[in-house]
């Protein structure tokens, strides 16, 4: 048993990899069951595997559908296990989680409003799962006996995993999505603007960019702490920065650029400023431009199958200015017109129209551009002449429409109570970083449904859980 416990991380990683080599759902189900067995062997490594699973979940699901709910089951099993253990020992400190009550009220308002407006129970449960699965990590990490060395071991493993994701994304870019991707992904009919972006294992350039932005922050903490491996960590940060630029994710860069600025001003940490400027500067020179050059050469040599090419795709000469163009075109007449026709401005205008009809409790969960409406039809779409598979990409309008003023006030109360809780934790750098993550989320919510992003919420709620642990000292 001691040998299994010692090798548990390797075994858990193999449980993720073997189903990819044997792509039958049954192997995914068996691997999931085997991973759940480790709940009684090594909870910490089972928690760590979530930071590998969720960023790569879309790719894992595509390669083996049996892994679809692996992360959900691990979180639920960990939560129930810790709940039972602590209640037996009478050690569950409910009072330290009072600040989370408004978030549960937000979910309750949305669920009740949905039922009253004709939404089925399954779509509501589907959306509650999207909102609450990673939220449970706050309680899990708040109660799990983690030490400082565990946190840094987590950071090392996640950084190594991130390097592999970056290399995979760069190959995707160079070979124009023709290698190391599922066949269905290769056949995606992407617009010229989106085709030049790295989608990576998360299958979404914005999600990938959010993940890389968080990792750049965390890599700095490793850089400060690991004297022996400083050069390796800095080289990794250059790779991460270059890959982040290749996602061309404007919203993420704006949100985390602001968060980084707040972090520097708050902590007066000039070392972080030098680290960030150095990583992005070298990332631009050593990763971004060389990858664009290699990609253009591959295109010219006709490595891209003709059936995957689109008429009017971005010429090679434009690739060099693609990053600056992404920002300069944000408020162009063409962009604003397209956004008004069927984009973020259309969603905002339509959302305000619906909000006026349901101002108090909203239309309910699974009714307006959330994860559930992508799988289940909304009862209000026909009335308001909204097309199927519309996604809001704006957390604020989604909250207002689906939960009304009550839900919006509940989320606002949760944000304020969370800020107060973090400040009271007095956990130094960790507390500041968690607040910066929250600020990034508040900005990113203008562009994305950030509460449904498993990758971002995985890290945010985990950091929040760490702040609740008084025994972990991360002030330096």
């Amino acid at each position: 048993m001691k040998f299994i416990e010692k090798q548990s991380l390797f075994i858990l990683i193999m449980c993720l990899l073997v189903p990819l080599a044997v792509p039958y759902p049954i192997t995914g189900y068996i691997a999931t069951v085997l991973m759940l067995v480790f709940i009684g062997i090594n909870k910490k490594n089972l928690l760590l595997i979530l930071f590998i699973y969720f960023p790569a979940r879309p790719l894992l699901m595509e390669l083996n559908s049996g892994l679809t709910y692996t992360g959900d089951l691990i979180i639920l099993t960990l939560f129930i296990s810790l709940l039972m253990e602590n209640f037996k020992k009478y050690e569950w400190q409910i009072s330290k989680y009072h600040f989370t009550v408004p978030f549960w009220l937000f979910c309750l308002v949305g669920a009740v409003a949905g039922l009253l407006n004709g939404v089925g129970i399954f779509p509501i449960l589907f959306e509650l799962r999207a909102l609450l699965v990673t939220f449970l990590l706050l309680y899990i990490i708040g109660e799990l006996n983690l030490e400082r060395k565990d946190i840094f071991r987590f950071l090392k493993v996640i950084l190594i995993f991130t390097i592999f994701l970056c290399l995979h994304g760069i190959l995707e870019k160079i070979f124009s999505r023709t290698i190391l991707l599922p066949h269905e992904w290769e056949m995606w009919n992407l617009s010229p603007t989106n085709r030049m972006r790295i989608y990576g294992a998360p299958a979404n350039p914005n999600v990938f960019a959010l993940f890389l932005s968080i990792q750049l922050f965390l890599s700095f903490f490793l850089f400060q702490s690991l004297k022996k491996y400083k050069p390796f960590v800095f080289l990794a940060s250059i790779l991460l920065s270059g890959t982040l630029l290749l996602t061309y994710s404007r919203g993420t860069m704006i949100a985390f650029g602001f968060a980084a600025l707040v972090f520097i001003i708050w902590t007066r940490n000039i070392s972080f400023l030098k680290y960030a400027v150095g990583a992005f500067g070298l990332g631009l020179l050593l990763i971004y431009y060389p990858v664009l050059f290699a990609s253009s050469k591959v295109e010219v040599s006709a490595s891209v199958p003709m059936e995957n090419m689109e008429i009017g795709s971005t010429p090679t000469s434009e690739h060099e200015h693609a990053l600056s163009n992404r920002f300069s075109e944000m408020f162009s007449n063409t962009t604003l017109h397209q956004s008004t026709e069927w984009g973020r401005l259309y969603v905002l205008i339509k959302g305000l129209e619906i909000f006026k009809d349901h101002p108090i409790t909203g239309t309910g969960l699974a009714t307006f551009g959330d994860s559930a409406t992508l799988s289940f039809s909304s009862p209000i779409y026909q009335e308001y002449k909204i097309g199927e598979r519309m996604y809001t990409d704006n957390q604020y309008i989604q909250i207002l429409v689906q939960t009304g003023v009550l839900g919006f006030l509940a989320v606002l109360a949760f944000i304020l109570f969370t800020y107060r809780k973090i400040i009271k934790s007095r956990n130094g750098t960790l507390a500041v970083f968690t607040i910066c993550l929250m600020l990034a989320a508040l900005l990113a919510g203008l562009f994305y449904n950030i509460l449904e992003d498993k990758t971002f919420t995985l890290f945010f709620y985990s950091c929040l859980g760490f702040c609740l642990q008084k025994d972990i000292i991360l002030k330096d």
Side-chain angles (χ1 to χ4, degrees):
M1 186 62 74
K2 287 185 178 181
F3 173 79
I4 295 177
E5 183 177 359
K6 191 175 181 180
Q7 301 298 323
S8 59
L9 181 59
F10 173 76
I11 296 171
L12 287 168
I13 291 174
M14 290 307 296
C15 283
L16 282 180
L17 295 179
V18 170
L20 307 185
V22 188
Y24 298 102
I26 187 64
T27 59
Y29 300 144
I30 293 171
T32 300
V33 172
L34 288 176
M35 282 190 271
L36 293 178
V37 170
F38 279 83
I39 198 75
I41 300 174
N42 194 318
K43 289 186 177 67
K44 294 177 182 179
N45 281 340
L46 193 59
L47 176 65
L48 174 56
I49 209 69
L50 292 172
F51 294 89
I52 295 174
Y53 172 82
F54 276 111
R57 183 174 179 260
L59 181 60
L60 297 175
M61 287 168 49
E62 188 66 39
L63 295 174
N64 193 316
S65 60
L67 296 173
T68 301
Y69 297 105
T70 301
D72 300 46
L73 291 172
I74 289 174
I75 290 175
L76 287 172
T77 307
L78 279 170
F79 178 73
I80 293 170
S81 173
L82 286 169
L83 191 67
M84 292 174 64
E85 288 178 13
N86 287 348
F87 268 119
K88 285 180 181 178
K89 299 175 184 177
Y90 300 100
E91 293 180 354
W92 191 278
Q93 300 176 23
I94 298 176
S95 58
K96 74 177 181 180
Y97 300 107
H98 283 169
F99 73 99
T100 65
V101 171
F103 193 83
W104 289 99
L105 289 176
F106 154 70
C107 293
L108 179 63
V109 169
V112 173
L115 290 172
L116 293 176
N117 284 285
V119 182
I121 187 66
F122 289 111
I124 290 174
L125 290 176
F126 188 94
E127 183 59 22
L128 286 174
R129 165 190 159 272
L131 293 171
L132 293 173
V133 165
T134 50
F135 187 71
L136 296 179
L137 283 169
L138 188 160
Y139 304 99
I140 292 169
I141 294 178
E143 296 301 318
L144 200 59
N145 293 321
L146 291 166
E147 301 174 12
R148 179 190 174 92
K149 63 180 182 180
D150 294 319
I151 295 176
F152 282 98
R153 186 170 66 89
F154 278 30
L155 295 182
K156 293 174 194 174
V157 173
I158 298 168
L159 180 62
I160 293 170
F161 168 67
T162 307
I163 291 172
F164 282 107
L165 287 192
C166 288
L167 294 175
H168 174 265
I170 287 172
L171 288 174
E172 171 198 327
K173 172 65 178 177
I174 292 174
F175 293 97
S176 299
R177 300 179 56 80
T178 59
I179 66 169
L180 298 180
L181 287 178
H183 179 70
E184 290 77 7
W185 290 17
E186 291 180 9
M187 295 297 106
W188 281 355
N189 185 25
L190 299 174
S191 67
T193 302
N194 283 328
R195 189 169 185 81
M196 68 182 182
R197 306 173 71 185
I198 289 181
Y199 277 60
N204 186 310
N206 297 322
V207 174
F208 197 17
L210 285 167
F211 174 67
L212 292 175
S213 299
I214 295 171
Q215 288 310 306
L216 278 167
F217 259 106
L218 298 178
S219 70
F220 172 70
F221 302 145
L222 278 178
F223 181 80
Q224 292 286 80
S225 305
L226 303 177
K227 296 180 181 179
K228 187 177 178 181
Y229 298 103
K230 277 182 182 288
F232 172 79
V233 175
F234 187 66
L235 287 174
S237 72
I238 294 172
L239 176 64
L240 268 62
S241 300
T243 309
L244 171 60
L245 293 173
L246 288 165
T247 63
Y248 300 105
S249 180
R250 296 172 299 200
T252 299
M253 293 181 194
I254 292 170
F256 274 89
F258 175 72
L261 182 63
V262 171
F263 183 84
I264 293 167
I265 294 173
W266 193 320
T267 61
R268 299 178 183 177
N269 197 325
I270 304 301
S271 298
F272 178 74
L273 177 61
K274 294 177 180 177
Y275 180 85
V277 171
F280 273 99
L282 291 173
L284 192 69
L285 294 174
L286 302 179
I287 304 296
Y288 179 79
Y289 283 120
V291 169
L292 288 186
F293 177 78
S295 177
S296 67
K297 290 299 181 184
V298 171
E299 286 185 14
V300 171
S301 64
S303 292
V304 182
M306 290 303 295
E307 63 266 24
N308 285 352
M309 294 294 291
E310 286 193 13
I311 297 173
S313 58
T314 310
T316 302
S317 59
E318 293 182 7
H319 287 187
E320 298 177 4
H321 308 289
L323 186 61
S324 58
N325 289 344
R326 283 283 292 171
F327 286 91
S328 63
E329 293 172 358
M330 278 184 72
F331 301 105
S332 67
N333 291 332
T334 303
T335 302
L336 291 174
H337 176 72
Q338 291 174 345
S339 184
T340 305
E341 288 293 319
W342 184 253
R344 289 187 170 93
L345 285 178
Y346 166 83
V347 170
L348 181 63
I349 295 168
K350 185 63 69 172
L352 291 175
E353 177 189 340
I354 300 170
F355 172 70
K356 289 177 183 177
D357 295 336
H358 305 269
I360 306 302
T361 58
T363 56
L365 298 179
T367 59
F368 187 72
D370 58 15
S371 297
T373 58
L374 298 179
S375 301
F376 303 91
S377 60
S378 169
I380 70 168
Y381 277 8
Q382 188 173 1
E383 178 185 352
Y384 290 97
K385 298 178 182 179
I386 300 173
E388 295 294 332
R389 300 194 64 79
M390 184 272 290
Y391 200 62
T392 56
D393 277 326
N394 185 314
Q395 192 65 67
Y396 296 97
I397 195 65
Q398 187 194 79
I399 292 172
L400 271 176
V401 172
Q402 295 198 143
T403 60
V405 173
L406 288 181
F408 192 85
L409 290 176
V411 173
L412 179 61
F414 173 66
I415 293 169
L416 294 175
F417 292 167
T418 298
Y419 174 80
R420 181 185 175 191
K421 192 72 175 181
I422 296 170
I423 292 296
K424 288 178 69 176
S425 73
R426 297 180 180 179
N427 217 327
T429 303
L430 175 63
V432 176
F433 172 62
T434 306
I435 289 173
C436 287
L437 275 183
M438 187 164 67
L439 291 175
L442 291 173
L443 263 180
L446 293 169
F447 313 106
Y448 318 123
N449 293 359
I450 197 72
L451 291 178
E452 296 177 323
D453 183 345
K454 299 288 191 302
T455 301
F456 177 84
T457 53
L458 171 76
F459 284 94
F460 175 66
Y461 293 138
S462 296
C463 288
L464 193 50
F466 285 129
C467 286
L468 299 179
Q469 291 209 12
K470 295 181 180 179
D471 296 330
I472 296 180
I473 301 175
L474 286 171
K475 293 186 178 180
D476 54 323

